[in-house]
Amino acid sequence: MAILDPLVLPPDVVIVPVSELPPELREQVGHEAGDYSVTRPRSRTMSSIVDAKTAALLETFRTPATIVDAVIAFSAAEGLDPRATLDDAFAVLGGFVNEGLLVAADSVLAEPIATSLALGDRVGVFAIEEPAHLIVDTEVYRARAPDGSAVALKIARPTAGRRLRSMFAHEAAILDGLDGRVTPRFHEFGTYEERPFLALSWCAGVDVYGAASEARSLSEALGGAALLSLAASVIDAYAHLHAQDVLHADVHPRNVLVDAHGAVTIVDFGLAVTPTSVGGPDGVQRGGIDFFLEPEVAAARLAGRPSPPPSAAGEQYSLAALVYFLLTGAHTHSFSLEPEEMLRQLLEQPPLAFSGHGAWEVPAVEQTIRRALAKEPSDRYRSVSSFARTFRSAMAKDRRRPLPPTRPTTAAEVLDDVVARLAVPGELFEGALEPPTASIMNGGAGFAYALLRIASIREDHELLALADVWSTQAQYETGSEHAFWNAELDIVPEIFGENSFYHHASGVHLVQALIARGRGDDLAQQLALESFIGAAARPCDHVDVAFGRAGLLLGCSLALDALPPTFEERSLCALGHELRKSLWTQLDRQPPLSESTELRSLGAAHGWAGYLFALLRWSEASGTALPATFGERLEQLAALGRPAGRGLRWAHEVGVEPFGSALEASWCNGAAGYVYLWMLAHRLLGDAAYARLAELAAWSAYEGYPAAPGDLCCGFAGRAYALLCLFRHSGDAVWLARAQKLSDHAARSVRAEPLRRDSLYKGEMGVALLAADLEAPERACMPMFEGEG
């Protein structure tokens, strides 16, 4: 570091108060009140914690300055002695220079770390699809091989090509000798514009700590079993790697991926070694993160000796430290931020007890991990395979009988509040209900339907009577100018059309028919169905579920499901067949979905997922065959899904980048809406591939954006119903637990900021119905969308 050279803090360096970090991150870092976190997200440097004074001094380097000039300016502004400030800060600033957070103002490292390749670019035979990971010297993309398979293309950044060439070549050689069961499969090592690249099989999933955190967020009965199974799979993966005579030598959470089925993949073999080699591509080279290094390394560093080469016993310790981290959510020690003291802790102090972190009690497993964390290598297991066998035996001893999941308190409170408010309908009838006042989506018909379902779940005749009151009021409101429109909210015919199931009279009539059926009033049901048929048969220009013919066809399917055997169904079937014919005729003349210019929307409310779901539902309800080329459309839609964490996501329109928001996970435009489509396709067509697609969509609905509204349409409630759909058909109780978790998110979010408080699809009504459905989850269904039995 030249003291007279201008330095700059790159614009992508983030300095924020530790108090603003998520709670789970705050728990992982030692800090004092008022401390700040300093991070360059795409660098190889870990976050640093500094006091407020140092953070303020760092901020002065947002414009280029020498250390002396920056200290003088800062001291003058703060009324400090410049010489004393320089003495205090020089070593700290020097550390930031060494870590690449303060860089020469004229260096390429002063620029934000950004991608250099775009969609459609070709690197050798591989076509770039999207960036996946980016750090200061390496870019990773998802690309497509000539045979159509997905690959991870790892390429050196333009400024780092020569330095990384030997590391990439070494990684290629290591991976080429492995069987690919727990590692990526090697495709190609080459050069692109003097930049080395490595092409490997694409490994979908999330990093192992994210998967463990998700399991810990569930109840102990379900989350505990999932967490232990995950930890065992990680140990098994390393045991299999060691059996092939390879040491990873870079054990930390980001280098272990977990896919939708719990399969574990170890990635990043740039530092891997074999027993016959002395180290990585440049001899003995130790990498990794200090939290997971073995005591042998700490001893060497404290003594001023070179770090020892990787060893099987050393990697066993690192693996045990990782598993400890997964099971407890905390590290083996309350590590000091002072490097020398941290090394002493590794060398001398025993790991903390699980109970010190509030972790679930698994005494046999904890004892197993403690042996693998022994300070002396000879006191650990003879091999990672032995560690794996002992760990699974300990799991069996610790496994408790699962307890039934409990209903989330917050969602239950919303349910109680909503039922209490609807029990006094006069308050909403008399001007308190903002238009639209009658529709399923936003008005009284939606309230009536929710009450009907709650009454059925609880076998409550008073709630059924209350549903009838709301249905009658909604029917009365259909003649009002406020029944279906609100110009201030842009709910107008020019946008919503003149005839839709969710926003107009046909939905009101069908709810009335369902309530009449619940009362056992055949005549009233018949009259309401005739009104439904008359309203649904009116002209409709829109094609989608939310505003058009696909939604009306769903209404016909629900009506047909609810018909008693003695009812005449001819006119209803005729309407459904006509809507089906009209819908498919328009869809069939479209080009392949990837080339579509007319019908470009893809989601359940407005696009192809909804069109195809409506056709499947009509086929199911009416017992009629699907169009001959229907499967082709399903395959075209499936092909547009893109990996995202443990799941798949679909853009909201053909040829458009994903939203980058909570809508990617929603019912209306995102992954949640696809769960219903793929699960129904699996049930009717019998292809197991559709069940896998449903699960992948459910993962994206679950793990999508954590900040979202609470409602059915765009938010957590609709996402929770998608997980309930998967639970009902798979029988896997962990999906029920995940739905319960999202229902609690929904309740908190909808209470804090509802899109429209009194609405089935946009407000608290939908969240209340979700809470009731969780009392009988085997009967749950997305309101007025899924079939009801």
Side-chain angles (χ1 to χ4, degrees):
M1 178 178 63
I3 198 168
L4 298 180
D5 289 343
L7 301 173
V8 69
L9 197 69
D12 51 353
V13 172
V14 179
I15 302 177
V16 297
V18 173
S19 61
E20 295 182 7
L21 296 176
E24 62 272 17
L25 293 184
R26 290 201 303 270
E27 293 172 1
Q28 300 304 316
V29 297
H31 66 280
E32 302 291 338
D35 280 353
Y36 282 71
S37 168
V38 183
T39 308
R40 192 172 193 187
R42 291 169 171 170
S43 73
R44 292 185 182 272
T45 305
M46 294 187 66
S47 297
S48 299
I49 306 299
V50 300
D51 58 25
K53 178 181 173 182
T54 303
L57 177 57
L58 279 173
E59 288 287 4
T60 65
F61 288 93
R62 292 294 183 183
T63 55
T66 66
I67 288 181
V68 172
D69 289 342
V71 167
I72 290 173
F74 175 75
S75 300
E78 299 291 327
L80 301 173
D81 176 8
R83 184 175 296 276
T85 302
L86 182 61
D87 289 342
D88 291 341
F90 190 80
V92 174
L93 295 178
F96 282 121
V97 171
N98 292 335
E99 292 174 356
L101 292 174
L102 275 178
V103 300
D106 58 356
S107 166
V108 293
L109 296 177
E111 299 298 322
I113 302 171
T115 58
S116 62
L117 299 174
L119 173 67
D121 286 350
R122 300 193 76 86
V123 176
V125 298
F126 305 103
I128 299 297
E129 292 194 331
E130 67 175 354
H133 184 58
L134 182 64
I135 55 177
V136 68
D137 56 6
T138 309
E139 302 170 19
V140 180
Y141 296 86
R142 193 185 76 250
R144 191 65 56 182
D147 64 1
S149 62
V151 299
L153 190 122
K154 185 175 180 179
I155 186 168
R157 288 180 56 75
T159 57
R162 183 172 301 174
R163 179 169 56 85
L164 291 184
R165 184 178 304 278
S166 60
M167 182 174 286
F168 279 21
H170 171 77
E171 184 170 7
I174 290 285
L175 289 172
D176 196 28
L178 297 174
D179 64 11
R181 276 181 50 191
V182 298
T183 60
R185 292 185 180 275
F186 172 71
H187 279 267
E188 184 178 333
F189 170 61
T191 301
Y192 170 78
E193 296 183 351
E194 300 184 355
R195 298 160 60 186
F197 73 83
L198 191 59
L200 312 170
S201 61
W202 177 260
C203 301
V206 296
D207 74 65
V208 71
Y209 183 70
S213 296
E214 184 271 322
R216 289 198 308 275
S217 72
L218 305 175
S219 67
E220 182 175 354
L222 292 170
L227 189 60
L228 288 172
S229 178
L230 173 63
S233 295
V234 172
I235 301 172
D236 289 344
Y238 274 92
H240 184 73
L241 182 66
H242 284 202
Q244 297 177 86
D245 285 335
V246 170
L247 303 177
H248 185 218
D250 198 7
V251 178
H252 63 78
R254 291 193 302 276
N255 278 347
V256 181
L257 299 180
V258 183
D259 74 6
H261 307 292
V264 166
T265 304
I266 306 167
V267 298
D268 199 346
F269 282 76
L271 299 177
V273 298
T274 63
T276 56
S277 66
V278 294
D282 301 312
V284 177
Q285 183 176 344
R286 293 308 305 263
I289 295 176
D290 288 350
F291 298 139
F292 305 101
L293 290 179
E294 63 268 35
E296 299 92 288
V297 174
R301 290 182 180 177
L302 285 170
R305 303 191 306 268
S307 295
S311 68
E315 186 143 291
Q316 181 185 145
Y317 180 97
S318 298
L319 175 60
L322 172 60
V323 171
Y324 181 107
F325 186 49
L326 301 180
L327 295 179
T328 66
H331 291 295
T332 52
H333 300 76
S334 182
F335 283 116
S336 169
L337 296 180
E338 198 280 310
E340 186 170 329
E341 177 58 25
M342 180 181 180
L343 292 173
R344 292 190 187 282
Q345 289 175 295
L346 274 173
L347 185 60
E348 299 170 2
Q349 294 180 6
L352 297 170
F354 278 25
S355 58
H357 305 299
W360 293 326
E361 293 185 11
V362 281
V365 163
E366 182 175 359
Q367 188 59 38
T368 299
I369 294 171
R370 283 187 173 277
R371 179 176 171 185
L373 290 172
K375 303 299 182 186
E376 291 295 329
S378 59
D379 291 335
R380 299 169 198 156
Y381 296 97
R382 288 185 295 109
S383 66
V384 172
S385 291
S386 178
F387 178 23
R389 289 191 298 272
T390 308
F391 186 90
R392 287 196 175 274
S393 177
M395 278 176 57
K397 293 179 183 178
D398 284 332
R399 187 168 286 134
R400 303 277 199 280
R401 181 171 181 165
L403 300 174
T406 56
R407 186 178 53 157
T409 301
T410 309
E413 290 174 354
V414 171
L415 171 57
D416 292 341
D417 290 349
V418 164
V419 170
R421 193 160 73 256
L422 293 181
V424 189
E427 293 182 4
L428 288 175
F429 284 163
E430 295 170 4
L433 182 61
E434 182 183 19
T437 57
S439 67
I440 288 176
M441 182 71 69
N442 290 306
F447 308 165
Y449 174 78
L451 286 167
L452 170 65
R453 285 270 300 278
I454 298 168
S456 175
I457 292 164
R458 296 184 170 182
E459 298 183 350
D460 188 323
H461 296 293
E462 291 184 2
L463 286 181
L464 177 59
L466 187 59
D468 195 21
V469 171
W470 276 104
S471 177
T472 301
Q473 179 64 24
Q475 179 70 27
Y476 175 78
E477 288 283 319
T478 57
S480 164
E481 61 180 327
H482 304 299
F484 305 115
W485 313 120
N486 186 329
E488 291 183 6
L489 300 179
D490 285 331
I491 303 177
V492 293
E494 293 78 10
I495 298 174
F496 284 55
E498 293 281 2
N499 185 22
S500 74
F501 178 60
Y502 294 95
H503 294 279
H504 215 270
S506 63
V508 179
H509 298 313
L510 182 58
V511 169
Q512 193 172 42
L514 295 176
I515 291 173
R517 177 182 182 234
R519 294 197 326 266
D521 189 338
D522 291 355
L523 178 59
Q525 183 181 2
Q526 181 69 46
L527 294 173
L529 283 173
E530 290 172 359
S531 296
F532 165 76
I533 293 168
R538 292 176 54 202
C540 179
D541 294 330
H542 287 282
V543 67
D544 63 356
V545 163
F547 304 151
R549 279 166 278 148
L552 293 169
L553 186 58
L554 280 177
C556 290
S557 301
L558 290 168
L560 197 55
D561 286 341
L563 278 184
T566 57
F567 272 38
E568 173 57 56
E569 61 184 46
R570 186 179 308 161
S571 57
L572 178 58
C573 287
L575 172 62
H577 292 321
E578 183 59 34
L579 286 167
R580 181 260 197 201
K581 178 181 177 182
S582 171
L583 177 60
W584 181 250
T585 298
Q586 185 168 354
L587 299 182
D588 196 36
R589 67 170 181 249
Q590 304 300 316
L593 267 60
S594 61
E595 303 170 13
S596 181
T597 58
E598 179 187 349
L599 298 179
R600 299 176 58 211
S601 295
L602 295 176
H606 303 291
W608 281 91
Y611 311 153
L612 299 178
F613 179 78
L615 290 162
L616 281 167
R617 276 288 296 122
W618 179 248
S619 175
E620 178 185 46
S622 66
T624 54
L626 290 163
T629 57
F630 185 85
E632 295 177 15
R633 292 302 191 184
L634 287 174
E635 297 305 317
Q636 292 167 14
L637 184 59
L640 295 176
R642 293 290 178 261
R646 284 188 267 192
L648 285 177
R649 66 180 181 182
W650 283 260
H652 69 289
E653 285 187 2
V654 174
V656 175
E657 288 299 308
F659 279 117
S661 72
L663 287 177
E664 285 184 19
S666 68
W667 167 79
C668 56
N669 285 289
Y674 288 84
V675 176
Y676 308 105
L677 169 66
W678 300 127
M679 191 53 70
L680 184 56
H682 168 62
R683 198 164 76 244
L684 297 187
L685 303 178
D687 190 335
Y690 295 134
R692 289 192 292 272
L693 285 168
E695 185 174 4
L696 292 171
W699 273 114
S700 289
Y702 176 57
E703 292 186 320
Y705 288 77
D711 59 274
L712 287 175
C713 182
C714 308
F716 284 122
R719 291 158 64 173
Y721 268 114
L723 306 193
L724 284 174
C725 173
L726 191 62
F727 159 70
R728 290 197 323 274
H729 295 291
S730 70
D732 188 346
V734 75
W735 286 108
L736 172 58
R738 289 166 181 152
Q740 290 172 319
K741 178 181 172 182
L742 289 193
S743 76
D744 222 22
H745 292 335
R748 288 194 294 269
S749 181
V750 82
R751 279 188 157 183
E753 193 174 356
L755 295 174
R756 174 186 168 95
R757 184 188 185 193
D758 295 311
S759 166
L760 176 62
Y761 260 73
K762 299 288 188 178
E764 290 187 354
M765 304 299 169
V767 178
L769 179 53
L770 171 63
D773 268 328
L774 286 167
E775 297 175 5
E778 67 284 349
R779 298 167 53 191
C781 58
M782 182 69 174
M784 301 303 280
F785 184 72
E786 281 188 278
E788 299 193 13

